[in-house]
Amino acid sequence: MNMFLIDEETIKQKVKELAQKISKDYENSDNLVVIGVLKGAFIFLADLVRELKIPCKVDFIKVSSYGQSTQSSGIVRIELDTSIDIANSDVLIVEDILDTGLTLKYIKELILSRNPRSLKIAVLLDKVERRKIDISADYVGFVVPDKFLVGYGLDFSENYRNIPYIKELET
Ligand code: IMP
Ligand code: MG
């Protein structure tokens, strides 16, 4: 059986490509705030912002979704909120993976309620076929199959985040 895998070099190239697009789209912005969704996005965010050719501020938000490790319940609680005032800023939310969409929809609405000048979403991975609600990202690294993936920030019960590539969880 073939295990799904995205290797380091492929990720690196993709992150560069996304950063180029983002740098171009925001070249006239003087107030870009990149908000990483903890914990999963920490590596993607760190690599992405270092490839940006424009200035930005960095902030984080951490939410937890009730329920067990591989399933999102849609009931979301804020564990750590942002600290930068984003009113009149161009906000880019950075997330590891868009799955059912419930988590990002919640975060998107929360950020929108704080009146940013604009709001876009960047995700490294998009599990399109798992979507439960109508939400899409403005920047997508890879559309991935419905398999549980770990590495490059993604975890299973807090393990595997430090694997430098992305792979299917072996069961
Ligand atoms: P959603 O609310 O269903 O879109 O869930 C998004 C969150 O679920 C992501 O931020 C991840 O933390 C987690 N998640 C979804 N799929 C995976 C996966 O394949 N591996 C690791 N975490 C995942
Ligand atoms: Mg997670």
Side-chain angles (χ1 to χ4, degrees):
M1 194 178 78
N2 265 350
M3 294 297 282
F4 182 82
L5 192 142
I6 308 174
D7 67 55
E8 279 183 79
E9 192 50 39
T10 307
I11 297 171
K12 197 175 172 188
Q13 280 311 314
K14 185 61 79 177
V15 171
K16 230 181 187 163
E17 207 180 283
L18 290 174
Q20 270 166 12
K21 267 190 222 150
I22 293 166
S23 301
K24 193 160 181 294
D25 293 351
Y26 288 93
E27 66 189 351
N28 297 317
S29 167
D30 54 0
N31 204 354
L32 173 62
V33 179
V34 178
I35 299 179
V37 182
L38 293 173
K39 299 174 190 173
F42 82 113
I43 292 180
F44 175 41
L45 178 128
D47 285 348
L48 186 73
V49 294
R50 282 180 293 177
E51 293 289 345
L52 291 181
K53 307 293 178 229
I54 48 167
C56 72
K57 295 175 183 166
V58 175
D59 208 342
F60 292 97
I61 191 165
K62 183 172 193 286
V63 299
S64 68
S65 149
Y66 291 102
Q68 262 321 296
S69 39
T70 62
Q71 281 288 331
S72 173
S73 64
I75 307 164
V76 176
R77 180 173 52 124
I78 304 175
E79 291 191 354
L80 172 85
D81 207 344
T82 54
S83 62
I84 298 174
D85 179 11
I86 55 157
N88 298 314
S89 295
D90 293 307
V91 173
L92 180 66
I93 299 173
V94 174
E95 171 66 306
D96 53 357
I97 185 166
L98 185 47
D99 186 28
T100 64
L102 294 165
T103 308
L104 264 181
K105 185 180 163 53
Y106 179 86
I107 293 171
K108 184 180 174 181
E109 276 165 14
L110 178 72
I111 302 289
L112 277 177
S113 74
R114 296 170 179 173
N115 303 310
R117 180 163 38 188
S118 69
L119 177 63
K120 283 192 185 182
I121 297 173
V123 296
L124 182 63
L125 308 175
D126 190 351
K127 264 189 206 170
V128 177
E129 50 185 293
R130 291 253 310 162
R131 202 76 86 253
K132 279 193 188 149
I133 47 157
D134 186 25
I135 186 167
S136 59
D138 302 278
Y139 304 95
V140 175
F142 306 94
V143 171
V144 293
D146 182 12
K147 296 179 184 304
F148 199 82
L149 306 174
V150 295
Y152 199 73
L154 290 111
D155 74 304
F156 174 68
S157 296
E158 299 300 331
N159 291 119
Y160 312 113
R161 292 194 198 274
N162 64 315
I163 297 175
Y165 52 92
I166 293 161
K167 67 166 189 171
E168 188 180 339
L169 180 69
E170 288 163 63
T171 49

